[in-house]
Amino acid sequence: MELSGFAKAQFLSVNMAFGFAVTAGAYVCAGVSGAHLNPAVSLSMFLLQKMSGRLMLVYWLAQFLGCFVGASLVFALYFDALHVYGGGNWTVYGPQATAGIFASYPSEHLSVINGLSDQVIATAALMICILAIIDEDNNAAPRGLQPFIIGLIVLLVGLSMGFNCGYPINPARDLAPRIFTGIAGWGLEVFRAGDNWWWVPVLGPMIGGVIGTFIYEMLVGIHHSVEQKNEEDGEEHHPPEYELVQSMA
Amino acid sequence: MELSGFAKAQFLSVNMAFGFAVTAGAYVCAGVSGAHLNPAVSLSMFLLQKMSGRLMLVYWLAQFLGCFVGASLVFALYFDALHVYGGGNWTVYGPQATAGIFASYPSEHLSVINGLSDQVIATAALMICILAIIDEDNNAAPRGLQPFIIGLIVLLVGLSMGFNCGYPINPARDLAPRIFTGIAGWGLEVFRAGDNWWWVPVLGPMIGGVIGTFIYEMLVGIHHSVEQKNEEDGEEHHPPEYELVQSMA
Amino acid sequence: MELSGFAKAQFLSVNMAFGFAVTAGAYVCAGVSGAHLNPAVSLSMFLLQKMSGRLMLVYWLAQFLGCFVGASLVFALYFDALHVYGGGNWTVYGPQATAGIFASYPSEHLSVINGLSDQVIATAALMICILAIIDEDNNAAPRGLQPFIIGLIVLLVGLSMGFNCGYPINPARDLAPRIFTGIAGWGLEVFRAGDNWWWVPVLGPMIGGVIGTFIYEMLVGIHHSVEQKNEEDGEEHHPPEYELVQSMA
Amino acid sequence: MELSGFAKAQFLSVNMAFGFAVTAGAYVCAGVSGAHLNPAVSLSMFLLQKMSGRLMLVYWLAQFLGCFVGASLVFALYFDALHVYGGGNWTVYGPQATAGIFASYPSEHLSVINGLSDQVIATAALMICILAIIDEDNNAAPRGLQPFIIGLIVLLVGLSMGFNCGYPINPARDLAPRIFTGIAGWGLEVFRAGDNWWWVPVLGPMIGGVIGTFIYEMLVGIHHSVEQKNEEDGEEHHPPEYELVQSMA
């Protein structure tokens, strides 16, 4: 669920709102779906054989629909403000542009290749942290506080890696509101803008999520398997991860 | 208890103060009253059959009186500052206006209908999060940290949905200080301002709280009941919620 | 221990530094002294018969000395900065004033009587929150996180009640650095400034702490005793508080 | 792992990013290496006989390499931004200077001797807090939340002691990115700048870490030993620390 409206605020406030919106969403959904809010995270869990491919597709659809509904709620909540601020126009560019409230657009300095590497690195970092925070064999955060700590990490990613294009790091959170704005009056410019930027925050997080998962399993997860081999000899708690590492090596 | 004085500060600071004031209030009252600080929350708990209608009315009165006392403490704490800042006048409008320190007034761009939808959406979102955070069948926060996490959610609501009218989201917190200012020297203008705005942050949160409760029960609470039916067959831990959902469907 | 240096920063940053400095100090001292950093808190604990009068005086001395050492560390850490910023002068007033880095001085608008009520209200609010956070019969924070939550409350007090005079709320934290600056070159003006302001942040917190303790015991603590009477009949865990309330009523 | 990119942001945001980057790194590494991210901390653990000298050297190498890789990721992530901002030049001085993004440089007002004392005091304060937060005989934070609390302390150090030179407080975090920038195009000026400043944030934290460890053991750790002597008579849980204190006294 995309609850965070985000208009005309300063950098830190917006990042805090984003981070803790993830916290809020995770608390709400944790018991039912395991707090899958991000298609890139769901893809990782599928690769780690923690969910089936079919369930992943269902989650992807739900994530996309949730973000679409969230965007329409933001639209409803700030309808008057958007109307006044934009002078009645819905524009992607210029001083009264409001499309950036819903989806990401690259800074002027950013090339597409650097934008893609930005999204890959940021999502990989996020994924490594999430996997660590929920890893009971590592120093996992207490279960009832994992949404808070993960929200904090999203805040961190925003503060440290949000200068290029506002850290979408989530294909559903970026594409669904973009489509909403395309329908709601901003037009097809939302896809053409930034040298057809729209696909970067969709593909980048997917690649980054997979890379982050791979790095975590190689650098940290593999220790768990080895330790278990040494200490318990043959009784492995995490065969799926271990096999993944094997098959990916 | 409304401990937070809130003058001449920047957006983030004020929101943090508000959020953690809720944290403070919740720690103080949790053991005695279950931390009911908001009439909209009490109304939800009544609808979920977790408190009687009579107790709810007692709580409403206490919440109202507490906010009235809180407003008078803020008045005492910042008496000199208010006096100097307002040039000896207590005004609702203009550059020396100080009434907005005590109660909410809509931004210029905001229509009453958008203001009402703002309050309904914001309080519904708050209510969904609160119900999730305290839901032991979901991923509840540790009991001793629930006031902190709920304060964080209030901060989030303020950061993301506070641009229209400062997110009252609490009828007592808005109406009681408004009446205080009406008595203390600002006059009846506090009710007439903003196209008779005063009733919006009273009614909106009540509607939003009910809607949020309904959404949470439909989307999340219902899973608990179904799971319990499937797994434990007939032994239901939360009959009140389940019945509510039934009777509201 | 007063670890926080505090120069030329914005309002929120300084308040966060103050709040979490309390967190840091509390983690360091919790095991040895029960994290008594504030003479007003020690006075409350004495009134609640949780510590002897003699131990309280020892703590007062230690708190005072700790703050004096802290002030000298800040002086050492920022010696060059203070020298350059003040142009070689140590002044209490004017655009190059640096005395306010060490101790509190009232805003221009603040009268002594409003300053005193500010300190009484702020310290009473702080005390009520601290007593709630550590009250196992209420909804206490987890023991290992109490320093964090108390630091958050200090942050809250600063954000909401710091506009008048910078919320000293701690006699040792204000008086000891003030004496240090008096010796280190700022001279006796540190005591004369603000209409002999120096005694307000010494006496105010003491009065506020006692009032806060009394309010908490009357509004919350008394419920514990009554509940225990009703439920366990005669077996009371907190006779000291109960007797205090009796003797003060 | 040095995940935090840090460009053109405001003071508080950067400090929050730094602090929670430590949180992120600690969550990732806690299970494998005990979250050693700082050579000064590893040195302390060696002095407390909690790790061998050989393992310390291995950790130092890993910390250095990790920071080097981190610097190169920041370089990749913000390559376009650095290029545009610096006008194609990589400069250490002047309005387009970008070297300060990677390593610390002293403020103009700062002498080398004050810079060294800054680093010693800041790292000593950090070390005292870290030792308290993980000290089970004191009021340790819950294990799964220690990375969060330690990140908060790093934030505190930054907010309160970051005005002189940006609180490197970690030899690997400062030297490795400095060498990276020396190679990547900024040249040897990165070592000559600030009166050959580079060695200060390498040696200072090492000295400060040792001093902080010594202070903590003298002021707090010694109480544990004495208490254990008195209460359990002869059965000491922490002989290494006690002996260290003995041998250092």
Side-chain angles (χ1 to χ4, degrees):
Chain A
M1 214 167 298
E2 175 65 26
L3 297 172
S4 86
F6 26 111
K8 287 170 288 177
Q10 58 169 325
F11 185 66
L12 177 58
S13 298
V14 172
N15 282 326
M16 289 185 70
F18 260 115
F20 296 135
V22 171
T23 296
Y27 271 116
V28 174
C29 310
V32 175
S33 77
H36 283 251
L37 302 164
N38 188 337
V41 175
S42 297
L43 177 61
S44 282
M45 294 303 156
F46 166 67
L47 289 177
L48 292 172
Q49 299 182 17
K50 287 183 177 160
M51 73 191 299
S52 70
R54 222 180 98 197
L55 187 57
M56 180 185 71
L57 293 176
V58 173
Y59 275 25
W60 282 11
L61 184 66
Q63 287 153 354
F64 187 88
L65 288 179
C67 290
F68 196 87
V69 171
S72 57
L73 280 176
V74 170
F75 189 72
L77 192 69
Y78 286 120
F79 185 82
D80 286 358
L82 291 168
H83 195 81
V84 169
Y85 184 73
N89 297 309
W90 313 117
T91 51
V92 178
Y93 294 120
Q96 269 85 42
T98 44
I101 292 169
F102 293 89
S104 73
Y105 294 91
S107 295
E108 260 182 60
H109 69 256
L110 197 71
S111 62
V112 164
I113 190 74
N114 197 161
L116 193 62
S117 68
D118 171 289
Q119 281 304 290
V120 170
I121 294 175
T123 315
L126 175 69
M127 190 62 69
I128 291 170
C129 293
I130 290 178
L131 290 173
I133 287 164
I134 64 173
D135 183 354
E136 299 289 343
D137 290 325
N138 201 329
N139 186 24
R143 214 175 121 54
L145 292 173
Q146 287 175 4
F148 166 61
I149 300 291
I150 289 174
L152 212 64
I153 298 299
V154 173
L155 166 60
L156 164 66
V157 170
L159 290 175
S160 62
M161 297 186 266
F163 295 99
N164 282 328
C165 54
Y167 74 115
I169 59 173
N170 180 333
R173 199 214 71 70
D174 199 74
L175 185 58
R178 192 184 303 276
I179 292 175
F180 175 83
T181 50
I183 297 169
W186 281 265
L188 286 175
E189 193 56 35
V190 298
F191 292 98
R192 284 192 298 259
D195 207 6
N196 297 310
W197 167 259
W198 73 271
W199 63 271
V200 175
V202 175
L203 188 63
M206 289 298 196
I207 300 173
V210 172
I211 292 178
T213 306
F214 180 71
I215 292 175
Y216 187 79
E217 290 302 317
M218 287 302 287
L219 293 184
V220 181
I222 206 172
H223 289 272
H224 303 335
S225 306
V226 171
E227 280 162 23
Q228 282 159 12
K229 275 226 160 136
N230 292 348
E231 289 172 17
E232 305 170 22
D233 201 85
E235 190 200 328
E236 293 178 34
H237 291 127
H238 300 273
E241 286 99 318
Y242 186 66
E243 280 163 18
L244 177 80
V245 170
Q246 295 294 80
S247 66
M248 291 176 88
Chain B
M1 215 168 296
E2 175 65 26
L3 297 173
S4 86
F6 26 110
K8 289 172 287 179
Q10 57 170 325
F11 186 66
L12 177 58
S13 299
V14 171
N15 281 325
M16 290 185 70
F18 260 114
F20 296 135
V22 172
T23 296
Y27 271 116
V28 174
C29 311
V32 176
S33 76
H36 283 251
L37 302 164
N38 189 337
V41 176
S42 297
L43 177 61
S44 282
M45 293 304 155
F46 166 68
L47 289 177
L48 293 172
Q49 301 183 15
K50 286 181 177 162
M51 74 190 300
S52 69
R54 221 180 99 198
L55 187 58
M56 181 184 72
L57 292 176
V58 173
Y59 275 26
W60 281 11
L61 184 66
Q63 287 153 353
F64 188 88
L65 288 178
C67 289
F68 196 87
V69 172
S72 57
L73 281 175
V74 170
F75 189 73
L77 192 69
Y78 285 120
F79 185 82
D80 287 358
L82 290 168
H83 195 83
V84 170
Y85 184 74
N89 297 309
W90 314 117
T91 50
V92 178
Y93 293 119
Q96 268 87 42
T98 44
I101 293 169
F102 292 88
S104 73
Y105 294 91
S107 294
E108 260 182 58
H109 68 256
L110 197 71
S111 62
V112 164
I113 189 73
N114 198 160
L116 192 62
S117 69
D118 171 289
Q119 281 306 290
V120 170
I121 294 174
T123 314
L126 174 70
M127 189 62 69
I128 291 170
C129 293
I130 288 178
L131 290 173
I133 288 165
I134 63 173
D135 183 354
E136 299 288 343
D137 290 325
N138 200 330
N139 186 24
R143 213 174 121 55
L145 291 173
Q146 287 176 3
F148 166 60
I149 300 292
I150 289 174
L152 212 64
I153 298 300
V154 173
L155 166 60
L156 164 65
V157 170
L159 290 175
S160 62
M161 297 186 266
F163 295 99
N164 281 329
C165 52
Y167 73 114
I169 59 173
N170 180 333
R173 197 212 73 68
D174 200 74
L175 185 58
R178 192 184 303 275
I179 292 175
F180 175 84
T181 51
I183 297 168
W186 281 265
L188 286 175
E189 194 56 35
V190 298
F191 292 97
R192 284 192 297 259
D195 207 5
N196 297 311
W197 168 259
W198 72 272
W199 63 271
V200 175
V202 175
L203 188 62
M206 289 297 196
I207 300 172
V210 172
I211 291 178
T213 306
F214 181 72
I215 292 176
Y216 187 79
E217 291 302 318
M218 286 302 287
L219 294 184
V220 181
I222 208 172
H223 288 272
H224 303 333
S225 306
V226 171
E227 280 164 24
Q228 282 161 12
K229 276 227 160 137
N230 292 347
E231 287 172 17
E232 304 170 22
D233 201 85
E235 190 200 327
E236 292 179 35
H237 290 128
H238 300 273
E241 285 99 319
Y242 187 66
E243 282 164 17
L244 177 80
V245 170
Q246 295 293 82
S247 65
M248 290 177 87
Chain C
M1 215 167 296
E2 174 65 25
L3 297 172
S4 86
F6 26 112
K8 288 171 286 178
Q10 56 170 325
F11 185 66
L12 177 57
S13 299
V14 171
N15 282 325
M16 290 184 70
F18 260 115
F20 297 135
V22 172
T23 296
Y27 271 117
V28 173
C29 310
V32 175
S33 77
H36 284 252
L37 301 165
N38 189 337
V41 176
S42 297
L43 177 60
S44 282
M45 293 304 155
F46 166 67
L47 289 178
L48 294 172
Q49 301 184 14
K50 285 181 179 162
M51 73 191 300
S52 70
R54 222 180 98 196
L55 188 58
M56 180 184 72
L57 292 176
V58 173
Y59 274 25
W60 280 11
L61 184 65
Q63 287 153 354
F64 188 89
L65 288 178
C67 289
F68 195 88
V69 171
S72 57
L73 280 175
V74 170
F75 188 72
L77 192 70
Y78 285 119
F79 185 82
D80 286 359
L82 290 169
H83 195 81
V84 169
Y85 184 74
N89 297 310
W90 314 117
T91 50
V92 178
Y93 293 120
Q96 269 86 40
T98 45
I101 293 169
F102 292 88
S104 74
Y105 294 92
S107 295
E108 259 183 60
H109 69 256
L110 198 70
S111 62
V112 164
I113 190 73
N114 197 161
L116 192 63
S117 69
D118 172 290
Q119 282 305 292
V120 169
I121 295 174
T123 314
L126 174 71
M127 189 63 67
I128 291 170
C129 293
I130 290 179
L131 290 173
I133 289 164
I134 64 174
D135 183 354
E136 299 289 342
D137 290 326
N138 200 329
N139 187 23
R143 212 173 123 54
L145 291 173
Q146 286 175 3
F148 166 61
I149 300 291
I150 289 175
L152 212 63
I153 298 299
V154 173
L155 167 59
L156 163 65
V157 170
L159 290 175
S160 62
M161 297 186 265
F163 294 99
N164 281 329
C165 53
Y167 73 114
I169 58 173
N170 180 333
R173 198 213 74 66
D174 199 75
L175 184 58
R178 191 184 303 275
I179 291 176
F180 175 83
T181 50
I183 296 169
W186 281 265
L188 286 174
E189 193 56 35
V190 299
F191 292 98
R192 283 191 299 257
D195 207 6
N196 297 310
W197 168 257
W198 72 270
W199 63 272
V200 175
V202 175
L203 188 62
M206 288 297 194
I207 299 173
V210 172
I211 292 177
T213 306
F214 180 72
I215 293 174
Y216 187 79
E217 291 302 318
M218 287 302 287
L219 294 184
V220 181
I222 207 171
H223 289 273
H224 303 335
S225 305
V226 171
E227 281 162 23
Q228 282 161 10
K229 276 229 160 133
N230 293 347
E231 288 172 17
E232 305 171 20
D233 201 86
E235 190 200 326
E236 291 179 37
H237 290 128
H238 299 274
E241 284 99 319
Y242 186 66
E243 282 164 16
L244 177 80
V245 170
Q246 296 292 84
S247 64
M248 290 176 88
Chain D
M1 213 169 297
E2 175 65 25
L3 296 172
S4 87
F6 25 112
K8 288 171 288 179
Q10 56 169 323
F11 185 67
L12 177 58
S13 299
V14 172
N15 281 325
M16 290 184 71
F18 259 114
F20 297 136
V22 171
T23 296
Y27 271 116
V28 174
C29 311
V32 176
S33 76
H36 284 250
L37 302 163
N38 188 337
V41 175
S42 297
L43 177 60
S44 282
M45 293 303 156
F46 166 67
L47 289 177
L48 293 172
Q49 299 184 18
K50 286 180 178 161
M51 74 189 299
S52 70
R54 223 180 98 197
L55 188 57
M56 181 184 72
L57 292 176
V58 173
Y59 275 25
W60 281 10
L61 185 66
Q63 287 153 353
F64 188 88
L65 288 179
C67 290
F68 196 87
V69 171
S72 56
L73 280 175
V74 170
F75 189 72
L77 191 69
Y78 285 119
F79 184 83
D80 287 358
L82 290 169
H83 195 81
V84 169
Y85 183 74
N89 297 309
W90 313 118
T91 49
V92 178
Y93 294 120
Q96 269 85 42
T98 45
I101 293 169
F102 293 88
S104 73
Y105 294 91
S107 296
E108 258 181 62
H109 69 255
L110 197 70
S111 63
V112 164
I113 190 73
N114 197 161
L116 192 63
S117 68
D118 172 288
Q119 283 304 291
V120 169
I121 294 174
T123 315
L126 174 70
M127 189 63 67
I128 291 171
C129 293
I130 290 179
L131 289 174
I133 288 164
I134 64 174
D135 183 355
E136 299 289 343
D137 290 325
N138 200 328
N139 186 23
R143 213 174 121 54
L145 291 172
Q146 286 174 4
F148 166 61
I149 300 291
I150 289 174
L152 211 65
I153 298 299
V154 173
L155 166 59
L156 164 66
V157 170
L159 290 175
S160 62
M161 298 186 264
F163 294 98
N164 282 328
C165 54
Y167 74 115
I169 58 172
N170 180 333
R173 199 212 73 68
D174 199 75
L175 185 57
R178 192 184 303 275
I179 292 175
F180 175 83
T181 50
I183 297 168
W186 281 265
L188 286 175
E189 193 56 34
V190 299
F191 292 98
R192 283 192 297 258
D195 206 5
N196 297 310
W197 167 259
W198 72 270
W199 63 271
V200 175
V202 175
L203 188 62
M206 289 298 195
I207 299 173
V210 172
I211 291 178
T213 307
F214 181 72
I215 291 175
Y216 187 79
E217 290 302 319
M218 286 302 287
L219 293 184
V220 181
I222 206 172
H223 288 273
H224 303 335
S225 306
V226 171
E227 281 162 22
Q228 281 160 13
K229 275 227 161 134
N230 291 348
E231 289 171 17
E232 304 171 22
D233 201 85
E235 190 199 327
E236 292 179 35
H237 290 127
H238 299 273
E241 285 99 318
Y242 186 66
E243 281 163 17
L244 178 79
V245 170
Q246 296 293 82
S247 66
M248 289 178 89

